[in-house]
């Protein structure tokens, strides 16, 4: 737990004096390819990574959010400590993936990544809960022992007009979605590139398993949020869910008492993963998909990766009425000094707490 400042005034926590909360969620991108044992591959030079960080500071200054949710902060705790100091916010964080580590020592040497919440000091941010959603092994801020992708939810509490507001950040498993389009695509790829029937069967099994992975995350996260957050308390959930709003796992999550803050706007971009516009995806992720891959599922995964989609969200529980959403939009899509600050675009919402 990393709470930096006391918010007590005359013996009472007052917190923010307005009930209109400005929230921002952004996957800041580790810049890693997640391939390697001793060290993960890195897409960019330290100089470019620093330019992306400076772009993040400019975007925060422009939006002036009260609360920020961060995914893929790497290396922890350095990244979030530096950011909190540069913008003068309190923070909480938890490591999400790190491999085999004790403190800073272990492998992969350049991976100790996770999620964080930052908030204005007057919001009195403190951590109230953390739950690993998937991945097995042991993952703490001080040591870790795991060998596969792992996900989590981190829950904090802030004070708004003397009342507690709960804030969560999460990052779900990334994979192609189990849709009729993708199943038809698997058949087309098999026929066109000569994948075997065994390849096709394995791809379907992997597709189903990866989507069950996300559904299990959704169920466990709903259960944990209900256990931690009082039923009548406002809860804001932010992060990279790696799925679209129409998919079963997201529909399940929303149907358990949550509301998407997204407000459709004419001619406004809605994609937070946008290979058509994001300069980092265009530079580092482009691959020729008109060739045979090592596996059929890898072929599908790459095509899926190059399709635009809305997968980052700011969600409120239904203690907040639909008209409590003052504004919402895609953010972090500005080009600063010739670069985008991440491979994701972010989301911003202004919420009037009921």
């Amino acid at each position: 737990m990393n709470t930096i400042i006391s918010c007590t005034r005359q013996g009472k926590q007052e917190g923010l004096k307005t009930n209109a909360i400005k929230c921002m969620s952004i996957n800041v991108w580790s810049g890693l390819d997640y391939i390697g044992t001793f060290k993960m591959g890195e897409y960019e030079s330290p100089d470019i990574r620093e330019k992306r960080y400076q772009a993040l500071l400019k975007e925060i200054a422009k939006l002036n959010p009260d609360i920020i949710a961060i995914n893929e902060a790497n290396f922890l705790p350095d990244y979030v400590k530096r950011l909190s100091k540069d913008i003068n916010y309190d923070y909480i964080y938890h490591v999400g993936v790190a491999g085999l580590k004790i403190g800073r020592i272990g492998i992969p040497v350049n991976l100790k990544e996770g999620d964080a919440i930052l908030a204005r000091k007057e919001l009195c941010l403190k951590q109230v809960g953390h739950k690993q959603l998937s991945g097995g092994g042991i993952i703490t801020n001080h040591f870790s022992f795991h060998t596969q992708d792992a996900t989590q939810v981190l829950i904090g509490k802030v004070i708004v007009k003397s009342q507690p507001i709960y804030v969560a950040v999460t990052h779900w498993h990334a994979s192609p979605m189990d849709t009729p389009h993708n199943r038809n695509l698997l058949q087309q790829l098999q026929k066109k590139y000569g994948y075997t029937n065994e390849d096709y069967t394995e791809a379907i099994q992997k597709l189903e398993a990866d989507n069950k992975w996300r559904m299990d995350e959704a169920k466990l996260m709903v259960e944990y949020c209900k256990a931690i957050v009082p039923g009548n308390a406002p809860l804001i959930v932010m992060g990279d869910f790696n799925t679209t709003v129409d998919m079963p796992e997201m529909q399940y999550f929303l149907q358990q008492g949550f509301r998407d803050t997204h407000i459709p706007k004419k001619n406004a971009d809605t994609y937070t993963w946008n290979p058509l516009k994001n300069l980092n995806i265009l530079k580092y992720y482009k691959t020729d998909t008109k060739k045979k891959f090592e596996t059929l599922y890898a072929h599908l995964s790459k095509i899926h990766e190059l399709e635009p989609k809305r997968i980052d969200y700011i969600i409120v529980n239904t203690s907040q009425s639909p008209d409590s959403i003052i504004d919402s939009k895609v953010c972090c899509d500005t080009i600063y000094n010739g670069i985008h600050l991440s491979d994701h675009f972010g989301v911003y919402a202004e919420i009037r707490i009921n």
Side-chain angles (χ1 to χ4, degrees):
M1 188 180 300
N2 301 277
T3 304
I4 311 302
I5 191 170
S6 170
C7 304
T8 303
R9 180 179 296 174
Q10 297 178 349
K12 182 180 180 182
Q13 284 190 326
E14 295 180 345
L16 204 66
K17 293 184 178 181
T18 174
N19 64 342
I21 305 298
K22 295 181 291 183
C23 300
M24 167 184 166
S25 182
I26 177 65
N27 180 326
V28 296
W29 189 35
S30 66
L32 304 176
D33 65 9
Y34 301 100
I35 300 172
T37 301
F38 177 75
K39 182 179 182 181
M40 295 289 186
E42 299 180 355
Y43 284 109
E44 58 197 349
S45 67
D47 178 61
I48 296 298
R49 190 172 298 114
E50 176 62 24
K51 287 181 179 179
R52 288 202 295 109
Y53 177 80
Q54 294 301 322
L56 173 63
L57 294 181
K58 291 177 181 177
E59 187 75 3
I60 292 171
K62 181 176 76 173
L63 293 172
N64 196 30
D66 300 303
I67 302 171
I68 305 167
I70 297 288
N71 300 120
E72 289 193 27
N74 190 53
F75 199 86
L76 285 175
D78 306 22
Y79 188 100
V80 71
K81 282 185 175 181
R82 180 188 180 189
L83 181 59
S84 69
K85 182 178 180 181
D86 286 344
I87 63 177
N88 195 30
Y89 281 33
D90 289 340
Y91 69 90
I92 59 175
Y93 79 93
H94 202 282
V95 174
V97 288
L100 312 179
K101 290 247 175 14
I102 298 177
R104 306 177 68 90
I105 308 301
I107 56 172
V109 296
N110 58 343
L111 176 69
K112 195 175 181 183
E113 172 197 307
D115 308 296
I117 299 170
L118 299 100
R120 295 187 187 282
K121 291 186 178 294
E122 57 264 39
L123 279 163
C124 315
L125 173 66
K126 70 174 184 178
Q127 181 173 326
V128 295
H130 167 265
K131 180 73 172 178
Q132 185 175 337
L133 300 177
S134 66
I138 300 171
I139 307 171
T140 76
N141 287 344
H142 307 293
F143 65 91
S144 66
F145 185 89
H146 71 104
T147 57
Q148 63 175 328
D149 183 29
T151 63
Q152 62 182 349
V153 58
L154 173 66
I155 303 178
K157 183 174 70 174
V158 298
I159 304 298
V160 176
K161 299 186 78 172
S162 301
Q163 300 301 317
I165 310 297
Y166 292 81
V167 184
V169 61
T170 192
H171 191 183
W172 290 3
H173 178 62
S175 74
M177 297 165 208
D178 190 355
T179 62
H181 167 75
N182 280 340
R183 286 182 175 248
N184 288 335
L185 184 56
L186 282 174
Q187 293 178 339
Q188 294 168 18
L189 292 172
Q190 181 193 12
K191 182 177 180 180
K192 185 173 182 178
Y193 296 99
Y195 293 103
T196 66
N197 288 337
E198 184 180 356
D199 292 332
Y200 177 79
T201 299
E202 289 178 353
I204 289 293
Q205 291 173 345
K206 188 72 166 66
L207 183 67
E208 292 175 347
D210 275 343
N211 281 258
K212 182 181 183 298
W213 187 329
R214 267 195 307 277
M215 178 60 84
D216 290 345
E217 289 169 341
K219 291 178 178 179
L220 186 55
M221 183 164 153
V222 165
E223 179 184 317
Y224 186 68
C225 286
K226 288 182 177 180
I228 295 296
V229 179
N232 60 345
L235 168 63
I236 304 170
V237 182
M238 299 184 275
D240 176 5
F241 288 71
N242 274 311
T243 191
T244 56
V245 73
D246 57 324
M247 291 302 295
E249 60 269 30
M250 184 55 76
Q251 284 296 300
Y252 172 85
F253 186 78
L254 293 173
Q255 289 164 8
Q256 303 307 305
F258 293 94
R259 177 174 290 114
D260 185 4
T261 63
H262 174 68
I263 301 174
K265 298 177 182 177
K266 187 176 181 180
N267 299 323
D269 285 340
T270 61
Y271 300 131
T272 59
W273 179 264
N274 195 339
L276 304 177
K277 293 186 176 181
N278 188 289
L279 298 180
N280 291 309
I281 301 176
L282 289 168
K283 182 175 182 180
Y284 299 114
Y285 287 72
K286 284 295 185 181
T287 301
D288 181 12
T289 59
K290 295 180 179 180
K291 65 177 183 180
K292 189 173 182 179
F293 279 58
E294 183 177 349
T295 68
L296 176 55
Y297 192 69
H299 202 159
L300 175 68
S301 297
K302 177 51 68 172
I303 293 174
H304 172 79
E305 186 178 72
L306 297 177
E307 294 174 338
K309 52 190 77 75
R310 182 168 73 95
I311 57 175
D312 301 84
Y313 301 88
I314 296 175
I315 292 169
V316 295
N317 63 357
T318 48
S319 70
Q320 304 307 298
S321 61
D323 61 4
S324 69
I325 313 305
I326 301 170
D327 188 25
S328 72
K329 61 184 177 182
V330 171
C331 66
C332 303
D333 56 348
T334 301
I335 297 174
Y336 295 99
N337 197 21
I339 61 171
H340 280 120
L341 67 88
S342 174
D343 59 349
H344 282 245
F345 297 148
V347 281
Y348 169 92
E350 187 172 356
I351 304 162
R352 184 184 298 108
I353 302 297
N354 295 332

